[in-house]
Amino acid sequence: MKKINNPTQNTWSEILKRPTQSFADIEETVKGIFKEILQKGDVAVQKYTSLFDGSSSENILVSKAEIEEATELVSKELKQAIEVAKNNIYKFHEAQKTEKIEIETTEGVFCWQEKRPIQKVGLYIPGGSAPLFSTVLMLAVPASIAGCTEIVLCSPPNKQGKINPAILYVANLCGVTKIFKVGGIQAIGAMTFGTETIPQVYKIFGPGNQFVTVAKQVATQYGVGIDMPAGPSELLVYADETSVPSFVASDLLSQAEHGTDSQVILVTTNNEVLKAVEKEIYLQLEKLPRAAIAAQAIEKSKLILVENEQLALDLINEYGPEHFIICSKNEGFFIDGIQNAGSVFIGNFTPESAGDYASGTNHTLPTNGSAKTYSGVNLDSFMKSMTFQKITEKGIQNIGKSIEIMAEAEGLQAHKNAVTLRLKKIK
Amino acid sequence: MKKINNPTQNTWSEILKRPTQSFADIEETVKGIFKEILQKGDVAVQKYTSLFDGSSSENILVSKAEIEEATELVSKELKQAIEVAKNNIYKFHEAQKTEKIEIETTEGVFCWQEKRPIQKVGLYIPGGSAPLFSTVLMLAVPASIAGCTEIVLCSPPNKQGKINPAILYVANLCGVTKIFKVGGIQAIGAMTFGTETIPQVYKIFGPGNQFVTVAKQVATQYGVGIDMPAGPSELLVYADETSVPSFVASDLLSQAEHGTDSQVILVTTNNEVLKAVEKEIYLQLEKLPRAAIAAQAIEKSKLILVENEQLALDLINEYGPEHFIICSKNEGFFIDGIQNAGSVFIGNFTPESAGDYASGTNHTLPTNGSAKTYSGVNLDSFMKSMTFQKITEKGIQNIGKSIEIMAEAEGLQAHKNAVTLRLKKIK
């Protein structure tokens, strides 16, 4: 672990630098596969599923029988846990519904804003060692509340042509309309263009490896929206002497076990806290099944000692962490002052894993500093806001002259004319 | 104009197809200039400003004296018109402020969502024949309401090194913090990386030609957010026998004068309306100063006759117009049923130019079908939502077991451990 003692402000950007990712070579691969999917549809999708996932099943659409089978395979205990998480996620995202905003800006000029669902959305769920059924909850629950009519889910099959039962169970439970056993670049390409079997969608959500990340980026060039740019997961903890070092260490480690490229940072004003957390990390690390992965992430992690809370806050805002834990006697100072973070966890009994699974907040969050610009996934991610206006004769009389003058000044005579004709009619 | 009579549904996608744009060659140019700006900063910016805009002024930052001069040059009449527009835009966007959303999802589990401003934003305003000071209003007013601390504006200078006075006047009026006489690819590159003079921003807004459009797309690869993908402007009018053909024609023409690639569509269930609007278009067209441009757009425009209102609505939702005007005795049917549109204009006295300038709604809207996915610019475009959670001992006891079970099922032991440690401490 790298310990950094009172760094001067001009070194912050270097200290907080994330590893840069180069995608140039992957982009060519993605574009090639996209082109083939555009031309050959399902045939191309099956070719790459066979090539990359080793599954040669022709039925890429998950059947009712498969869902029933999966439902049998998920334990009662896990089903109950999923129910608790689902209820909390549902409550928090349901509360995000917004009313129509309506205002008469000038007498006779009525403007309103309404949110309507994105009709067709695609959810991508990675395969691999960790079956991320929790991500299905985080995406399908708000999509369903938003009222999206088509909710497509793609996830890669294993060599036996199967998707993890918990993923199928949760997808079915949360209103996914179609599930496809397709992963990687070919899944993103299929949802971008549509094939004979897989519907085209308007926006694609969900995490993935570097191939999926680049494929989502390329999809935007074809007019498809994406949830956000993706990067390795991150956690920054601010802890003072009121924190519990073993808790802080366990949070840093739960981030570290995600992958060797996970970003793990501790910021503190107290050197004793720093030393205690470091000691706890090594104590807990050796007992973890994913210790090999976590150790590599921990090796690159940073423990930063700063002089005071204001400097800590400034440094954290410059970094813009995906997850930000506050264990401080002055938590209000950090809550009020944090400008750039995906999700914030407050107090000793609020581990990051609560938000990852069951508190109700979403775990699909901006990484790589994009918390400076992007929201995490929320109800609005599945909707777009539209504006409406209705103007009476009185209304156009009130603002018509101003429109004419401005249109004229911009050299747009036909814009002016559209008003002039109406004003004449009223007189 | 192309008249289309009761098209069958399987021909819609062909009829509604927008011209595809190929940006592959421009992308190389953009990447080259970006690389140079990253390495050489202001020197590269000045090189391209001199090359593309013919301005060799070294002072790219607009001075107080220049703003005072511009303020003198704008007529009193135009200032008053701008004031009317600004007030309406302010009122409508101010009304979009949202409260903190807070909910106790389970006893002891408190989750809330808050929106905070994107701290640094960049506004791009094109130069050229039409000085789009109205776009400055549409971007700077909500940026200012949102509370963005740095609002940078870039606009290309003319050969004399000047920006149109109305642009400078409005920028200063609406809270822009710095104005730079820099345009095109070099402006987008400078705001993406920052130079000695021009600050790096987190999100870039505003229209532009194809070079600016591609530059914004490339900027996203460096982690900068953008308002939305851009394409030629569009208007679709639905009109029945209650419409006024001369009004409808004037609206279609005001769209057509934007550029030869503007998309102009009329949908109606009434062939008499179709013929009357067509006749009016040619009557009005010849009197326009920008008739040459408008005529080319009108040439490619479409007048579509459909059998009934439901088919009209379905077709309009498949197109997803940027601007949608409804002149119908059944306007409620279209208002309730429209799923995909940027901004909607209702009734005979609501021309598109009202929304372009002064009704209060935003005119920066999704084109090219992206209304299916994207919102137009609104207050939230300048903010990001963050989530917070605070869990009590009771709270973690309530949801801890579920988190443990789910983390275990996903094979993430350290995630489980972060909860287990806390539960043990409470006992």
Side-chain angles (χ1 to χ4, degrees):
Chain A
M1 304 181 84
K2 200 172 173 189
K3 275 176 278 187
I4 301 154
N5 208 322
N6 294 313
T8 58
Q9 203 150 352
N10 61 4
T11 63
W12 286 3
S13 67
E14 191 53 36
I15 291 168
L16 300 174
K17 212 174 202 172
R18 283 125 168 141
T20 51
Q21 301 168 289
S22 175
F23 289 146
D25 44 342
I26 298 180
E27 201 174 327
E28 285 315 300
T29 309
V30 168
K31 285 184 174 168
I33 294 176
F34 270 34
K35 201 174 162 188
E36 218 173 314
I37 291 173
L38 186 57
Q39 288 165 350
K40 299 184 192 163
D42 283 340
V43 171
V45 170
Q46 272 169 16
K47 170 182 155 188
Y48 287 104
T49 300
S50 169
L51 189 67
F52 295 140
D53 299 315
S55 165
S56 55
S57 166
E58 287 204 359
N59 286 321
I60 56 175
L61 176 67
V62 171
S63 67
K64 273 192 181 172
E66 284 173 288
I67 291 169
E68 280 162 20
E69 187 192 45
T71 305
E72 294 282 316
L73 289 169
V74 176
S75 73
K76 199 178 156 196
E77 190 187 38
L78 182 54
K79 280 179 186 160
Q80 283 168 345
I82 287 168
E83 194 61 28
V84 169
K86 184 183 169 230
N87 282 342
N88 286 350
I89 296 164
Y90 189 92
K91 279 184 208 164
F92 187 57
H93 289 79
E94 169 85 8
Q96 293 167 23
K97 278 191 176 174
T98 44
E99 296 294 310
K100 178 162 105 169
I101 291 163
E102 189 162 14
I103 189 164
E104 189 175 359
T105 55
T106 291
E107 194 191 342
V109 180
F110 300 89
C111 299
W112 67 99
Q113 183 195 45
E114 271 184 63
K115 287 173 188 161
R116 301 206 171 169
I118 298 172
Q119 293 174 298
K120 301 174 189 186
V121 297
L123 317 182
Y124 184 80
I125 304 296
S129 59
L132 300 179
F133 58 85
S134 60
T135 304
V136 184
L137 282 168
M138 295 294 174
L139 300 177
V141 169
S144 194
I145 296 169
C148 304
T149 44
E150 180 117 63
I151 306 172
V152 174
L153 185 147
C154 286
S155 190
N158 63 17
K159 288 201 170 59
Q160 289 73 46
K162 300 260 188 191
I163 294 178
N164 180 286
I167 291 177
L168 295 186
Y169 170 72
V170 175
N172 185 56
L173 184 72
C174 299
V176 169
T177 51
K178 277 176 185 159
I179 309 169
F180 295 98
K181 292 176 277 185
V182 178
I185 300 170
Q186 60 274 21
I188 306 302
M191 292 193 283
T192 299
F193 304 115
T195 69
E196 302 88 322
T197 312
I198 302 175
Q200 184 183 37
V201 302
Y202 301 151
K203 190 169 182 179
I204 299 173
F205 296 78
N209 61 20
Q210 52 185 345
F211 296 100
V212 171
T213 298
V214 176
K216 281 172 66 185
Q217 177 85 44
V218 173
T220 65
Q221 295 174 21
Y222 295 94
V224 175
I226 61 170
D227 47 359
M228 67 190 80
S233 194
E234 306 165 348
L235 169 65
L236 187 149
V237 179
Y238 176 82
D240 69 14
E241 61 279 11
T242 63
S243 70
V244 182
S246 64
F247 293 1
V248 174
S250 74
D251 291 327
L252 294 170
L253 283 167
S254 72
Q255 189 57 41
E257 77 172 339
H258 272 301
T260 58
D261 55 0
S262 285
Q263 310 282 305
V264 175
I265 298 177
L266 171 71
V267 178
T268 181
T269 48
N270 185 317
N271 201 34
E272 297 309 309
V273 170
L274 190 150
K275 286 190 280 184
V277 170
E278 186 186 22
K279 193 177 152 196
E280 271 291 335
I281 285 175
Y282 289 111
L283 279 175
Q284 292 179 26
L285 176 60
E286 55 189 31
K287 295 175 204 150
L288 293 176
R290 290 168 76 103
I293 291 170
Q296 284 187 60
I298 287 294
E299 198 52 50
K300 290 177 283 180
S301 69
K302 285 161 189 144
L303 309 177
I304 306 174
L305 182 69
V306 293
E307 273 172 41
N308 58 55
E309 289 176 339
Q310 184 62 54
L311 279 172
L313 180 62
D314 292 346
L315 181 141
I316 294 162
N317 274 327
E318 178 154 337
Y319 183 68
E322 180 191 13
H323 305 95
F324 173 36
I325 296 182
I326 305 168
C327 296
S328 164
K329 59 184 180 301
N330 293 323
E331 61 186 35
F333 171 78
F334 290 96
I335 294 171
D336 293 345
I338 184 70
Q339 289 294 330
N340 305 316
S343 195
V344 183
F345 301 77
I346 302 149
N348 285 324
F349 290 92
T350 314
E352 190 208 301
S353 43
D356 287 340
Y357 291 107
S359 66
T361 61
N362 209 290
H363 79 197
T364 307
L365 297 167
T367 55
N368 205 25
S370 64
K372 291 170 180 169
T373 314
Y374 293 86
S375 311
V377 165
N378 58 72
L379 185 63
D380 282 350
S381 310
F382 296 90
M383 310 188 87
K384 68 266 178 182
S385 79
M386 289 162 54
T387 54
F388 297 80
Q389 54 231 288
K390 186 170 182 176
I391 304 177
T392 63
E393 294 189 15
K394 179 78 186 163
I396 198 72
Q397 282 178 316
N398 283 334
I399 65 169
K401 185 77 191 157
S402 296
I403 299 169
E404 289 180 315
I405 292 165
M406 291 174 76
E408 175 99 44
E410 287 193 351
L412 297 173
Q413 201 68 32
H415 282 65
K416 179 183 177 181
N417 199 39
V419 173
T420 309
L421 275 179
R422 285 163 166 100
L423 290 178
K424 271 188 190 153
K425 186 88 166 194
I426 298 170
K427 273 170 194 164
Chain B
M1 305 181 84
K2 197 169 174 192
K3 275 176 278 188
I4 300 154
N5 208 321
N6 294 315
T8 56
Q9 203 149 351
N10 60 5
T11 63
W12 286 2
S13 67
E14 191 55 37
I15 291 168
L16 300 175
K17 212 174 201 172
R18 283 124 168 141
T20 49
Q21 302 169 290
S22 175
F23 289 147
D25 44 342
I26 298 179
E27 202 174 326
E28 286 314 300
T29 309
V30 168
K31 286 186 172 168
I33 295 175
F34 270 33
K35 201 173 162 189
E36 218 173 316
I37 291 172
L38 187 56
Q39 289 165 349
K40 299 183 190 164
D42 283 342
V43 171
V45 170
Q46 274 169 17
K47 171 182 155 187
Y48 288 104
T49 300
S50 169
L51 188 68
F52 295 141
D53 299 316
S55 165
S56 55
S57 166
E58 286 203 1
N59 286 322
I60 56 175
L61 177 67
V62 171
S63 66
K64 273 193 181 172
E66 284 173 288
I67 290 170
E68 280 162 19
E69 186 192 48
T71 304
E72 294 282 316
L73 288 170
V74 176
S75 73
K76 199 177 156 195
E77 191 187 38
L78 182 54
K79 280 179 186 159
Q80 283 168 344
I82 287 167
E83 194 60 27
V84 169
K86 183 181 169 232
N87 283 342
N88 287 350
I89 296 164
Y90 189 92
K91 279 183 210 164
F92 187 57
H93 288 78
E94 170 84 7
Q96 293 167 24
K97 278 190 176 174
T98 43
E99 296 293 311
K100 177 162 104 168
I101 291 163
E102 189 163 13
I103 188 163
E104 188 176 0
T105 55
T106 291
E107 194 191 341
V109 180
F110 300 89
C111 299
W112 66 99
Q113 184 195 45
E114 270 184 63
K115 287 173 188 161
R116 302 207 168 166
I118 298 172
Q119 294 174 297
K120 302 175 187 185
V121 297
L123 317 182
Y124 185 81
I125 304 296
S129 58
L132 300 179
F133 58 83
S134 60
T135 304
V136 185
L137 282 167
M138 295 294 174
L139 300 177
V141 169
S144 195
I145 296 170
C148 304
T149 44
E150 180 117 62
I151 306 172
V152 174
L153 186 148
C154 287
S155 190
N158 63 17
K159 286 200 173 56
Q160 289 73 47
K162 300 261 189 192
I163 293 179
N164 180 285
I167 291 177
L168 295 186
Y169 169 73
V170 175
N172 185 56
L173 184 72
C174 298
V176 170
T177 51
K178 278 177 184 157
I179 310 170
F180 295 98
K181 293 177 276 185
V182 177
I185 300 169
Q186 61 273 22
I188 306 301
M191 292 192 282
T192 300
F193 303 114
T195 68
E196 301 89 320
T197 312
I198 302 175
Q200 184 182 37
V201 302
Y202 301 151
K203 190 170 182 179
I204 298 173
F205 296 78
N209 60 21
Q210 52 184 345
F211 295 101
V212 170
T213 298
V214 176
K216 281 172 66 185
Q217 177 85 44
V218 173
T220 65
Q221 295 174 21
Y222 295 95
V224 175
I226 62 170
D227 46 359
M228 66 190 80
S233 196
E234 307 165 346
L235 169 64
L236 186 150
V237 179
Y238 176 82
D240 68 14
E241 61 280 9
T242 63
S243 69
V244 182
S246 65
F247 293 1
V248 174
S250 73
D251 291 326
L252 294 170
L253 283 167
S254 71
Q255 189 57 41
E257 78 173 339
H258 272 301
T260 57
D261 55 0
S262 285
Q263 311 282 305
V264 176
I265 298 178
L266 171 71
V267 178
T268 181
T269 47
N270 185 318
N271 201 34
E272 298 309 309
V273 170
L274 189 151
K275 286 190 280 185
V277 170
E278 186 186 23
K279 193 176 153 199
E280 271 292 334
I281 286 175
Y282 288 110
L283 280 174
Q284 292 179 27
L285 176 61
E286 55 189 33
K287 294 174 205 150
L288 293 177
R290 291 169 75 102
I293 290 171
Q296 283 186 60
I298 287 295
E299 198 51 49
K300 290 176 285 182
S301 70
K302 283 161 189 144
L303 310 177
I304 305 175
L305 182 71
V306 292
E307 274 172 42
N308 58 55
E309 289 176 339
Q310 184 61 53
L311 279 171
L313 180 62
D314 291 346
L315 181 139
I316 294 161
N317 274 328
E318 178 154 336
Y319 183 68
E322 180 191 13
H323 304 96
F324 173 37
I325 295 182
I326 304 169
C327 296
S328 163
K329 57 184 182 302
N330 294 324
E331 61 186 35
F333 171 77
F334 289 96
I335 294 170
D336 292 344
I338 185 70
Q339 289 295 328
N340 305 316
S343 195
V344 183
F345 301 76
I346 301 150
N348 285 324
F349 290 92
T350 314
E352 189 208 302
S353 43
D356 287 341
Y357 291 108
S359 66
T361 62
N362 209 291
H363 79 197
T364 307
L365 296 166
T367 55
N368 203 29
S370 63
K372 291 170 181 168
T373 314
Y374 293 87
S375 312
V377 165
N378 58 73
L379 185 63
D380 282 349
S381 310
F382 297 90
M383 310 187 89
K384 69 264 177 183
S385 78
M386 287 160 55
T387 52
F388 297 80
Q389 54 231 286
K390 186 170 181 175
I391 304 178
T392 63
E393 293 189 16
K394 179 78 187 163
I396 198 72
Q397 282 179 315
N398 283 334
I399 64 170
K401 185 77 192 156
S402 297
I403 299 170
E404 288 179 314
I405 292 165
M406 291 173 75
E408 175 98 44
E410 287 193 352
L412 297 172
Q413 200 67 33
H415 282 65
K416 179 183 177 184
N417 199 39
V419 173
T420 309
L421 275 179
R422 285 162 166 100
L423 291 178
K424 271 188 192 157
K425 185 88 166 193
I426 299 169
K427 276 169 193 164

